[in-house]
Amino acid sequence: AKLGLSVRPLTSQELAQVQIKQGLLVEEVGKGPAANAGIQPGDVILAVNGDQVTSITQLQEKLLPNSKNIALLVMRGDSRIYVPVKMS
């Protein structure tokens, strides 16, 4: 909710298809910090501030209440990019 995203874990079939071990698929992007940073539906969030995320709970835990900026490692197509997200 803090990011303005709807995400879900990738299925085992999706993980095999994109050849990764974990990630959270961005299903929807609403108004909020993630949209402002350019996160798009279909992106796969791999890590937050360099720490891998494998569940929605982990993602929520990485978004500390006092975080001003975070860096999301995102897989978009065949590319992996860091996307800086300004939280305030």
Side-chain angles (χ1 to χ4, degrees):
K2 287 181 183 182
L3 289 171
L5 293 176
S6 174
V7 298
R8 68 167 172 83
L10 291 167
T11 65
S12 56
Q13 183 179 4
E14 290 169 330
L15 290 169
Q17 186 177 6
V18 294
Q19 299 178 345
I20 59 175
K21 294 183 180 177
Q22 95 294 324
L24 297 174
L25 177 67
V26 176
E27 291 191 307
E28 295 178 27
V29 180
K31 291 184 179 180
N36 294 340
I39 300 295
Q40 304 170 4
D43 286 349
V44 177
I45 298 173
L46 302 174
V48 177
N49 292 335
D51 296 326
Q52 292 182 342
V53 289
T54 58
S55 70
I56 294 169
T57 303
Q58 271 189 323
L59 176 63
Q60 291 169 335
E61 288 171 357
K62 302 290 181 198
L63 302 176
L64 300 174
N66 57 356
S67 296
K68 301 267 188 217
N69 299 294
I70 60 167
L72 297 178
L73 177 58
V74 172
M75 188 169 82
R76 182 175 294 159
D78 293 334
S79 301
R80 292 178 187 216
I81 56 173
Y82 276 99
V83 178
V85 179
K86 187 174 183 178
M87 296 298 290
S88 53

